Amino acid sequence: MVHSSVWECRRVFDDQTILSRIIGVVLTLGIVIAVLPQLLRLRKTKSSAGLSCFSFAIASFNQFCVMFDLLILKLPVIVNVSKYSFWQFYDATATFWQALIMFLIYLPISYMYIAYHPRKDTEESHADFKRSKMMVTALTVFMSLSILWVLFYAGIFGKGACTSVIEWVADTYGEMSILNLIQWVTQTVLVFKLKEGKSLSIFLFALTGPGAGIQLYWLAVMNREPFSVWVSFLSSFVFQMIIFFQLLFYDVIMKGSLATTREDSEKPLLVVSDNQQI
């Protein structure tokens, strides 16, 4: 039996356009290409020195919440996969598969941070290792309990049905992803205080900022996903663009102005007479 449209929580999902499918694939490949080098570098160097476990743990938490939100919303489609054609199933679940890939590509970094922690014989290093281990452990427990819940309640007893409880849980998880604001606000304030980007790459933010904007458009407009799914991408887009313009101002415009001023001050004085200089 082939349906003309696909039912999921709260709405009927119609076929995507070719452009929407292409953008979804390109966004997914872009994320993999951006993050994979960091994974390979960690594996090669076997050292997590210079990285922030907090940042990657927050990223993993954010991606998990978005993925879990979409998993619950798409459950009626996933458990009834045999009822739909390939493209109907893909179009209705494309955002979930992309969120799953994003989650799986970010998650290993948190665990690799612990495995490859330098563990220098200093109080600061021991404290960082302990904090990071507690953070990753809490993340693991949270994800495990969440997955057990969806398998037990929604998958087995709910049979993919969209009850008010399931929809409330989906919204709650999606809205929890807004905690990625902690990461972006902290970084924005730090750049403002330092008046420079230090090791931040303006080129990276020139790519990731607009990339988050395209991701936001793809989710909110092209796929018409609910607010809880794309709210974290909205915050990422806004703050990454703020950081980009901060770096542009402090590291390019201001430094260029200072360099010009320094060059002018180092020019030799013009002698107009034996007793007068300009």
Side-chain angles (χ1 to χ4, degrees):
M1 180 180 179
V2 178
H3 293 195
S4 59
S5 56
V6 179
W7 284 90
E8 68 168 46
C9 283
R10 303 191 182 119
R11 64 172 178 160
V12 176
F13 194 96
D14 298 319
D15 293 343
Q16 288 189 34
T17 63
I18 298 297
L19 177 61
S20 179
R21 291 171 181 168
I22 292 173
I23 291 177
V25 172
V26 170
L27 285 170
T28 304
L29 289 175
I31 292 162
V32 173
I33 292 171
V35 180
L36 191 58
Q38 184 66 74
L39 282 169
L40 296 176
R41 180 175 175 81
L42 268 171
R43 182 176 176 81
K44 181 179 179 181
T45 62
K46 290 183 169 40
S47 173
S48 57
L51 298 179
S52 168
C53 183
F54 175 77
S55 295
F56 287 112
I58 285 290
S60 297
F61 175 82
N62 170 60
Q63 298 302 335
F64 177 81
C65 288
V66 173
M67 182 273 294
F68 198 77
D69 182 6
L70 285 166
L71 171 62
I72 297 174
L73 294 177
K74 309 294 182 183
L75 206 60
V77 184
I78 295 173
V79 298
N80 294 293
V81 57
S82 60
K83 294 183 179 180
Y84 308 110
S85 68
F86 171 79
W87 284 115
Q88 286 176 320
F89 179 76
Y90 172 80
D91 288 347
T93 58
T95 52
F96 164 71
W97 299 117
Q98 191 216 45
L100 178 62
I101 291 172
M102 289 174 66
F103 165 67
L104 292 176
I105 198 74
Y106 271 101
L107 181 63
I109 299 181
S110 298
Y111 292 98
M112 292 171 76
Y113 183 92
I114 300 297
Y116 299 141
H117 194 280
R119 303 186 200 181
K120 296 178 181 179
D121 192 20
T122 64
E123 185 177 343
E124 183 180 354
S125 179
H126 286 300
D128 177 69
F129 178 73
K130 186 177 180 180
R131 273 195 312 269
S132 301
K133 194 172 181 180
M134 290 175 60
M135 196 181 305
V136 174
T137 300
L139 178 65
T140 304
V141 171
F142 171 76
M143 293 188 299
S144 300
L145 292 176
S146 300
I147 292 170
L148 285 174
W149 179 87
V150 77
L151 290 175
F152 181 76
Y153 181 77
I156 298 174
F157 289 93
K159 300 296 183 185
C162 283
T163 65
S164 58
V165 173
I166 291 177
E167 291 185 7
W168 177 81
V169 171
D171 286 341
T172 300
Y173 271 81
E175 289 160 5
M176 281 195 298
S177 66
I178 197 65
L179 287 176
N180 73 339
L181 273 175
I182 298 172
Q183 176 187 2
W184 295 121
V185 170
T186 302
Q187 188 64 71
T188 302
V189 172
L190 183 61
V191 173
F192 178 76
K193 286 182 176 180
L194 295 175
K195 298 294 186 290
E196 60 177 332
K198 290 290 185 180
S199 59
L200 293 180
S201 168
I202 188 172
F203 177 73
L204 176 64
F205 281 93
L207 294 176
T208 58
I214 296 172
Q215 178 81 40
L216 174 64
Y217 181 81
W218 185 67
L219 288 170
V221 179
M222 288 187 150
N223 287 277
R224 306 187 309 281
E225 296 293 355
F227 175 77
S228 61
V229 171
W230 50 262
V231 60
S232 64
F233 294 95
L234 173 62
S235 62
S236 294
F237 169 64
V238 170
F239 279 94
Q240 286 189 74
M241 292 308 300
I242 290 174
I243 294 173
F244 167 72
F245 285 112
Q246 282 182 310
L247 296 176
L248 183 65
F249 179 74
Y250 292 132
D251 290 354
V252 178
I253 298 175
M254 290 299 293
K255 284 187 177 180
S257 177
L258 288 173
T260 302
T261 303
R262 191 179 299 112
E263 288 177 2
D264 290 341
S265 65
E266 291 175 353
K267 288 181 180 179
L269 298 176
L270 178 62
V271 177
V272 296
S273 68
D274 292 338
N275 299 319
Q276 185 179 7
Q277 290 183 330
I278 298 178

